[in-house]
Amino acid sequence: MGTPTGLGEPLIEAVVRRLPRLLGGRPVQLYEEGFVRGARVRRWADVTHWRSTVDVIVTGNEQGDRAWYTLAHRHLLRFGDGTEQGFLLDERRTELGPMVAEPFENLRIRTAAEHIRKRVAEAQAPALLDRIEAGRQVTFGPLTADARGLFLPGGLPAYRWAEMREPYPAVELPDFPVPASWWLRPRDVRLVLRGKDAHGDPHRTELPAWEVVNWGALVALWRRLGAR
């Protein structure tokens, strides 16, 4: 059915905050093809720089015998005209434990965050692929990619496309009882890279997901270049 904005069906409502993790903020409506804040309409296809991570926040009761975690999906988008827009999708608090069922709303939030990542990546990937096929390099924050593979900073082993596995953000939760280092200290997820080095030995690298700019497009490139 679509919407008068031409952005497709509504996904979910996010919260705009001037700084991450601050309370309060104005709502922004997210749609299949973009978002609306006030009278401003923006499309995912017009994003040039995309940062995303998940903040893992653990809290507990005074007795210390129960704990809860919250996953906050944090996004920052930059457009071709230089303007930026950030927003958060906060999941509902979930009790920490192996037998606890998550609220259905959390799945809806994760699905919306995944949809945004894929739509931004689909729009960015063709131009990045053209640059690589022309013999040039593209960067993803600290990472550099060309037709051969993905290169890490500091002289770390490179990953060849054909020998890489799909990069993914690793959300880690503590075991119970929760170590003191976790209480009320938000932890950002890390983007995990896996593959083989030049000698054929498997290796793994973890980088803060927030620092790997456009990592959604990196995954899209891996799917295209790794299949060749």
Side-chain angles (χ1 to χ4, degrees):
M1 182 171 61
T3 67
T5 63
L7 297 179
E9 298 296 331
L11 289 178
I12 204 166
E13 188 176 81
V15 175
V16 175
R17 301 179 183 176
R18 286 179 295 177
L19 292 173
R21 308 184 187 112
L22 286 182
L23 296 177
R26 297 181 178 179
V28 55
Q29 181 64 57
L30 308 182
Y31 294 87
E32 291 176 319
E33 302 301 329
F35 65 88
V36 177
R37 183 187 179 192
R40 192 74 180 270
V41 175
R42 287 291 200 177
R43 293 184 173 275
W44 307 128
D46 297 330
V47 174
T48 59
H49 295 73
W50 172 82
R51 291 179 184 264
S52 177
T53 190
V54 180
D55 301 326
V56 182
I57 306 170
V58 177
T59 58
N61 61 0
E62 294 182 357
Q63 292 76 24
D65 58 353
R66 297 180 68 186
W68 295 264
Y69 67 90
T70 301
L71 302 183
H73 301 262
R74 177 156 48 102
H75 295 255
L76 181 64
L77 314 174
R78 183 187 301 169
F79 297 87
D81 59 6
T83 60
E84 292 187 342
Q85 177 67 70
F87 59 82
L88 288 171
L89 289 169
D90 289 340
E91 295 187 14
R92 292 187 178 181
R93 190 177 70 164
T94 304
E95 187 166 1
L96 191 64
M99 304 301 293
V100 177
E102 289 190 283
F104 176 77
E105 180 70 10
N106 289 355
L107 176 60
R108 181 168 174 254
I109 291 172
R110 293 177 198 174
T111 300
E114 179 71 2
H115 175 86
I116 295 167
R117 177 182 72 80
K118 288 183 177 180
R119 290 298 294 116
V120 173
E122 288 170 359
Q124 293 177 331
L128 297 175
L129 186 61
D130 287 346
R131 288 174 61 90
I132 286 178
E133 291 181 335
R136 302 167 69 182
Q137 294 182 332
V138 297
T139 59
F140 301 92
L143 305 176
T144 303
D146 63 15
R148 296 168 295 172
L150 189 65
F151 300 87
L152 282 67
L156 295 174
Y159 289 89
R160 296 177 61 86
W161 293 118
E163 297 170 343
M164 275 186 68
R165 299 173 66 184
E166 182 174 1
Y168 71 95
V171 177
E172 296 183 0
L173 297 173
D175 294 325
F176 200 85
V178 179
S181 60
W182 278 85
W183 295 116
L184 291 174
R185 297 179 182 178
R187 296 183 176 221
D188 298 347
V189 301
R190 303 183 74 79
L191 188 71
V192 178
L193 307 175
R194 300 163 295 166
K196 296 180 180 180
D197 61 21
H199 304 289
D201 297 324
H203 67 112
R204 170 187 175 115
T205 305
E206 295 185 9
L207 298 169
W210 188 255
E211 295 181 6
V212 185
V213 182
N214 295 332
W215 64 258
L218 170 60
V219 174
L221 281 182
W222 169 82
R223 291 184 183 278
R224 301 186 188 193
L225 296 173
R228 296 183 173 181

